[in-house]
Structure formats: structure tokens, C-alpha cells
Amino acid sequence: MNNDASFLENMYLNIKDYLFNIDSNFFDELNTLLDTCKKRVHNPTSYDEMMEQLSIDEGLKSEELIELIKDFFHSLGSSYEKKFEDIISNNRIILSSGKSVEDSDESEMSLTGNYTDVVGLAHESEHIFSESEDNISIINALLCEVDAMVVEMLAIDYLKEKKNVNKYMVYDAREIDLIESDFFSSRYIEAAINLFNNIKNENTNFNNNALESAKIIYPYDYYRDEFEILFKGIMYTILSGFAHQIGYIVANYIHEKILEDPKNIYMFEAVTQALTEKDEEKQIDILSQSGIPIIKDRKISLSGESIEVLVNYIDKSNRRRNLKDTQTLIKESIDGLPTFSILSDIENVQEKQTLNEKPKYMGDN
């Protein structure tokens, strides 16, 4: 087995091929996007206070939880409901009440006993819906949380709309995590930028600075000999380190677009389809036609214009959520914000959609 230095050098020299579908300025632009979003989010309570509130057992039983989520997924389409039923009947997600399930290859979710379990189980179910075996493309690495977070946000709408449960705390906890997570520290981001900018500038001299950057963003030992498999796994791990932050920002945009017009549910569907597509060029095609502002000239990109759009939608959701009640929200909004009948509207859109009306990204599949 190669020693760490020679392995990292080999990895370094192969990065450019892996980054073929990404804009050369992506990591600089990502740094700008994250810094800007962190300055815009508003959190009225501390993370510890938030999590304490979210952990209160309100007596929600697992049977009721499952029925709620079946009803929620039905509002997105009967196929979603069927897929969720398959997950439950095949024990793809193991539900436990504060107990760890050992020696299981399936996903596990520890239930709290309150309505936030609805949000969590909907999120994890969507991950299973869009999983693609052995797909470690750059798109899956960066966008693997987007669809699950959109579902999470729609599930909160469902709770407000159908159950009169206002769980703004869940949104706030997401934003606090965006700001405070040490894993997404500036040191990690700067190390990635340093490493990838060397590649962008075609600097093939594997110097000590590049080696140190590589060690920062992937500081683990290497036990397998198959370089290509291991290399792609390492790259996936490095880039998926940004997935929750990118996921929140892009999902927030898609969710707000759905609130503007339920027909925009196609953006969510496009992400799901892209994640399940194994061919990276087809993934780019699907996302290019979706209208989501993260693709430009067939590259994953965060241009100044797309950063402005994404940040504006962070501002919009902040304004919407930080008003105390729906009536005040609608009355005071200067942007013509929608009512919260969004799930019913989505259901109507899905039922009326004909094959001719399917968005272009659906292709011939």
C-alpha cells in the first residue's frame, strides 16, 4: 500500500478529471454564498433551547406517525405514498423509541414522540426514494440533501395546514446548524479552495501546501488498494461535506418557488430524478432544464446572479417565518406571499398533469 504522501499525490493529480462538470470558480463562489447566507439568517433562540423544545415527548405514537406521513406523501402523489408504504412494510427504516438498534443494515430513526418525528421520517424516507447504488458522482455528492430537505419543508407545511402545528423551530434549528457547525469551518473551506484552485491553475507540482490541504479535507487512513474506487470515494466524501449547507440553501429556494406556484414541484422532481440517474451527463441535462440556479453552461456553477437569487430567497423565507401568525404574515407581506393551502394545490397539480404537460427534463427515460 502506498504511504500517505504518495497516495495523496496520486489523488491530487487525478482530481481534475473528477471535477469535469464543475465550474472552475465553484468553491470561491460557494464560500461567498455561505458567508452571505450566514449573515442573513435570523435565529431568535439558541441552539440548545431549540433542541430542548424539539425533544419534548408529546405522545405521538408510531402508528399515528406512519398514518400522518402516508397522508402527507399522498398529497405529493400516489406514487410517493406507495413508495413509503414499501419502506415501512419492508422495514427499510427501523423506528425505535430512544433505543439503539444494533447489527442492522437498514436506516434507524429514534422517535421523540412529537410532531417533529413527521419531519424527520419524511426526510429519511425521501433519501431512500432517491438512493442510487454506488453513485458517487459530483452531483450526488453536492446535492444529495436537496430533495430530502424540500420534503422536510413541505412536511412542516403539512403539519401547519392539516394539524395546525406550527414548528418554526425546525427551520430555525436548520439555520443555526448552518451557522455553527464546526465541520463547515472556514479552515475546511479554505483548504478545499486551496487544493482545487491548484488544479484549476494546472499546477501539477504537488508541494507541501497542497499536501497539507489534502490532509485537512480528508485526514483519514487508507486501507484499500483499488485506487480508482478509493479515489472517487474520497472525492465524494470531501464534496459531500458541503451537502447539508448546499442542500438547505437550494431546498429553501425550491420550497419558496413551490409556495409561489405549486407547478414548481417539478423542480423537486428534477432533483430526485437527477440523483437516481447514474450517467453524470444526463444528470446535468436534467438539472439544466429544471430552472434551479446552480447550473450554467452545463457546469455546476454559482455565478454572482445565482448567489443573489439564492440569498434573496433565504431573506424571503426568513421574513415569512419570523412573522408571528398567518394573518399578519399575509397582511403585511409586500411580496404577495401565498396562503398555506399549498399541499392541496400540489395534489391538484399532480392529478391534472398529463403526459404532454410533463416538464422537458423527464425525457424519454
Side-chain angles (χ1 to χ4, degrees):
M1 182 63 182
N2 293 335
N3 61 37
D4 279 1
S6 61
F7 180 90
L8 286 170
E9 179 175 3
N10 199 9
M11 185 183 84
Y12 172 76
L13 295 174
N14 281 273
I15 286 175
K16 191 172 183 180
D17 291 338
Y18 185 84
L19 298 179
F20 180 78
N21 284 320
I22 194 168
D23 184 90
S24 60
N25 295 315
F26 176 81
F27 287 95
D28 299 282
E29 294 160 344
L30 176 61
N31 202 20
T32 299
L33 175 63
L34 296 181
D35 281 347
T36 307
C37 287
K38 288 174 184 179
K39 295 172 184 176
R40 300 296 183 91
V41 293
H42 170 68
N43 302 294
T45 59
S46 73
Y47 185 79
D48 290 340
E49 291 172 327
M50 200 80 63
M51 298 314 294
E52 183 178 351
Q53 294 178 60
L54 296 178
S55 65
I56 297 173
D57 189 337
E58 297 173 333
L60 181 66
K61 303 300 183 185
S62 59
E63 296 80 6
E64 183 183 359
L65 167 66
I66 289 171
E67 288 304 314
L68 284 170
I69 297 179
K70 282 175 60 178
D71 188 46
F72 162 65
F73 277 126
H74 178 79
S75 68
L76 298 183
S78 58
S79 63
Y80 288 94
E81 181 183 12
K82 176 64 167 60
K83 286 187 286 188
F84 176 70
E85 289 175 339
D86 289 343
I87 286 174
I88 296 302
S89 63
N90 293 316
N91 295 316
R92 296 290 307 279
I93 297 179
I94 298 173
L95 305 179
S96 63
S97 298
K99 296 180 181 179
S100 177
V101 179
E102 298 181 355
D103 300 323
S104 173
D105 293 330
E106 306 301 339
S107 298
E108 178 194 354
M109 179 177 167
S110 180
L111 302 180
T112 302
N114 63 41
Y115 283 105
T116 58
D117 289 340
V118 176
V119 178
L121 185 51
H123 178 113
E124 297 306 325
S125 297
E126 176 60 27
H127 275 314
I128 295 177
F129 297 167
S130 62
E131 67 184 359
S132 180
E133 187 176 354
D134 297 328
N135 192 335
I136 50 177
S137 73
I138 190 171
I139 291 172
N140 285 64
L142 293 173
L143 304 184
C144 60
E145 291 293 334
V146 172
D147 61 321
M149 288 190 177
V150 172
V151 163
E152 185 174 330
M153 294 172 183
L154 291 173
I156 295 172
D157 292 334
Y158 167 83
L159 290 173
K160 291 185 291 188
E161 186 178 323
K162 298 293 182 70
K163 294 296 176 181
N164 197 30
V165 175
N166 288 303
K167 290 293 181 184
Y168 295 111
M169 295 175 293
V170 177
Y171 283 109
D172 292 326
R174 283 285 177 193
E175 290 181 345
I176 289 176
D177 190 56
L178 180 75
I179 295 172
E180 295 187 346
S181 175
D182 288 337
F183 185 71
F184 301 109
S185 67
S186 59
R187 183 170 181 259
Y188 183 95
I189 295 171
E190 287 167 4
I193 290 174
N194 179 33
L195 183 65
F196 294 121
N197 278 355
N198 271 323
I199 301 302
K200 177 186 70 176
N201 296 327
E202 298 186 351
N203 178 5
T204 56
N205 295 317
F206 191 78
N207 53 40
N208 289 334
N209 289 335
L211 175 61
E212 289 307 308
S213 294
K215 287 181 178 179
I216 289 171
I217 59 180
Y218 198 82
Y220 304 109
D221 294 327
Y222 317 110
Y223 297 108
R224 294 162 59 185
D225 293 327
E226 301 86 349
F227 173 78
E228 183 176 358
I229 295 173
L230 183 55
F231 164 72
K232 289 182 178 179
I234 288 174
M235 292 305 302
Y236 182 90
T237 300
I238 291 170
L239 295 172
S240 63
F242 301 106
H244 279 87
Q245 289 183 308
I246 293 173
Y248 177 86
I249 293 167
V250 175
N252 179 83
Y253 171 81
I254 294 173
H255 177 241
E256 291 295 329
K257 294 296 288 186
I258 293 171
L259 290 180
E260 291 175 359
D261 185 345
K263 291 182 180 179
N264 288 327
I265 190 73
Y266 78 84
M267 292 184 176
F268 158 69
E269 294 170 336
V271 174
T272 299
Q273 187 183 357
L275 292 176
T276 56
E277 172 59 60
K278 290 188 176 181
D279 184 277
E280 194 164 327
E281 292 304 310
K282 289 183 179 178
Q283 289 182 308
I284 293 288
D285 284 339
I286 292 166
L287 294 172
S288 294
Q289 297 178 63
S290 70
I292 303 169
I294 54 171
I295 302 289
K296 183 178 181 180
D297 299 328
R298 295 189 57 78
K299 299 281 186 182
I300 301 174
S301 175
L302 291 170
S303 65
E305 182 180 351
S306 63
I307 289 174
E308 182 179 5
V309 169
L310 292 169
V311 171
N312 284 342
Y313 275 85
I314 289 285
D315 281 340
K316 186 171 185 178
S317 63
N318 278 334
R319 291 197 304 273
R320 177 169 61 79
R321 290 186 288 100
N322 288 319
L323 292 174
K324 290 185 177 180
D325 59 79
T326 303
Q327 293 304 316
T328 302
L329 165 68
I330 296 171
K331 183 178 179 181
E332 294 185 0
S333 170
I334 61 173
D335 295 322
L337 295 172
T339 64
F340 288 120
S341 61
I342 189 67
L343 269 295
S344 299
D345 292 338
I346 289 173
E347 188 173 358
N348 290 335
V349 167
Q350 299 287 51
E351 288 176 353
K352 293 177 181 178
Q353 196 173 48
T354 66
L355 288 175
N356 290 333
E357 292 173 330
K358 286 288 185 182
K360 292 180 180 179
Y361 71 80
M362 296 297 287
D364 295 325
N365 273 1

